[in-house]
Amino acid sequence: MQNKMMKKYFPVFVLPTLLAFTIGFIVPFIMGVYLSFCKFTTVTDAKFVGLQNYVKIFTEDGTFGHALWYTTAFTVVSVVLINVIGFAVALLLTKKIKGTNVFRTVFFMPNLIGGIILGYVWQLLLNGLLLQINKTLTYSSVYGFWGLVILMCWQQIGYMMIIYIAGIQNIPGELIEAAQIDGANKGQLLKHVIIPMVMPSITICTFLTLTNSFKLFDQNLALTNGEPSNMSEMLALNIYNTFYGRTGWEGVGQAKAVIFFILVGAIAMIQNRLTRSKEVQQ
């Protein structure tokens, strides 16, 4: 009886969501892919030009390659720092120490602040410090790079910490006790018991930090706006500036967005497969 009721009313609950998803995501996505092969200023005057926009990215636009390299370097550094520090803090806060819940709340709070606000707050803080040596975040791309890393770490570590805490607390106490009885020291316990058992959490956190770092936009816009001379410009900001800041380059900006989508999707799938394979082995 229950199954019949579910089958009867299934379309009532699914169709509105499916319709909204189709209108809000699938249709714009298909239009975006089509427009990447067109020259246009609005969607109504699109003129098909084939692969011209894609060729233009690598032959006439010197900013995309640098933005790709800059974003990749930022992503590698951010993913490593956020996950290592987040995991270390989670280990510390799963010990029986006073004020654990307070510390967890304090570490998590930065994740609740919007990216634009964070960017302007850290711009003031970091520029104030750099002025002591007569420098600013926009003095060179190096200062902007490490400013973005600091901002990203401050925002994301607390969120990843919560996921790692959930994973650590899910480890059976008997397993840890058995390892200790067998003579495992803290390093061996961490390497052979704790890390293998929290691999699902590592998979989730690595996926989130990887995709968030590659897609970073609002913090980059607020902190450096790509200065100096677009040298601290990441991929998302580069696409935005190409589409909205260069007349006649709308199609090129759309082509960059398609490449960006494929790149992030491929990297996320590879990372997910690699880390999940570790879960199976363990």
Side-chain angles (χ1 to χ4, degrees):
M1 184 67 179
Q2 187 177 4
N3 289 335
K4 289 182 178 179
M5 291 292 290
M6 288 180 65
K7 290 179 180 179
K8 181 179 180 180
Y9 291 103
F10 181 78
V12 176
F13 293 101
V14 173
L15 287 177
T17 303
L18 181 61
L19 182 64
F21 180 73
T22 302
I23 295 173
F25 179 79
I26 295 178
V27 172
F29 178 77
I30 294 173
M31 288 183 64
V33 174
Y34 169 72
L35 289 172
S36 70
F37 297 98
C38 300
K39 185 174 182 179
F40 66 96
T41 53
T42 65
V43 294
T44 57
D45 66 354
K47 180 181 178 182
F48 188 80
V49 293
L51 295 174
Q52 182 178 319
N53 291 327
Y54 289 91
V55 173
K56 207 170 181 179
I57 292 173
F58 301 102
T59 57
E60 298 182 33
D61 185 358
T63 63
F64 187 76
H66 175 78
L68 176 60
W69 171 85
Y70 196 81
T71 304
T72 303
F74 170 80
T75 300
V76 171
V77 174
S78 295
V79 168
V80 172
L81 287 178
I82 290 171
N83 284 281
V84 170
I85 298 174
F87 184 75
V89 174
L91 278 176
L92 181 63
L93 294 182
T94 48
K95 307 296 182 183
K96 295 181 180 179
I97 59 176
K98 292 182 178 180
T100 298
N101 291 334
V102 175
F103 285 119
R104 291 179 186 178
T105 303
V106 170
F107 276 106
F108 181 76
M109 283 180 65
N111 190 69
L112 303 176
I113 305 173
I116 289 289
I117 297 172
L118 274 180
Y120 285 123
V121 169
W122 277 99
Q123 183 190 76
L124 292 172
L125 292 173
L126 294 174
N127 278 337
L129 291 173
L130 290 173
L131 281 175
Q132 304 303 315
I133 55 173
N134 297 318
K135 300 289 191 299
T136 64
L137 286 168
T138 56
Y139 178 80
S140 77
S141 60
V142 175
Y143 291 105
F145 179 89
W146 289 109
L148 286 167
V149 169
I150 292 170
L151 188 159
M152 191 69 171
C153 287
W154 191 77
Q155 184 182 30
Q156 294 289 318
I157 284 174
Y159 186 65
M160 303 308 149
M161 172 204 71
I162 296 296
I163 299 174
Y164 282 128
I165 286 175
I168 293 170
Q169 290 180 334
N170 199 41
I171 300 174
E174 298 82 3
L175 187 62
I176 294 177
E177 290 176 6
Q180 291 172 335
I181 291 172
D182 289 339
N185 57 36
K186 290 183 179 179
Q188 292 171 329
L189 189 66
L190 177 65
K191 181 179 179 181
H192 299 291
V193 179
I194 297 177
I195 291 179
M197 291 300 293
V198 298
M199 274 307 299
S201 297
I202 292 174
T203 298
I204 294 169
C205 290
T206 306
F207 175 81
L208 290 174
T209 50
L210 187 68
T211 53
N212 287 341
S213 296
F214 253 100
K215 297 186 299 180
L216 194 71
F217 171 74
D218 43 0
Q219 292 93 329
N220 188 200
L221 176 67
L223 195 70
T224 66
N225 196 25
E227 299 297 331
S229 303
N230 299 324
M231 296 302 290
S232 66
E233 185 180 67
M234 297 179 66
L235 277 175
L237 183 60
N238 179 262
I239 293 169
Y240 174 84
N241 286 335
T242 302
F243 194 96
Y244 292 103
R246 303 173 71 174
T247 303
W249 283 65
E250 291 83 1
V252 179
Q254 191 62 48
K256 286 183 179 183
V258 173
I259 294 174
F260 183 52
F261 170 81
I262 295 171
L263 185 64
V264 174
I267 292 173
M269 289 177 64
I270 292 169
Q271 172 270 318
N272 202 37
R273 180 179 291 272
L274 289 175
T275 50
R276 281 194 177 277
S277 66
K278 295 292 183 181
E279 292 178 37
V280 173
Q281 290 174 8
Q282 298 298 340

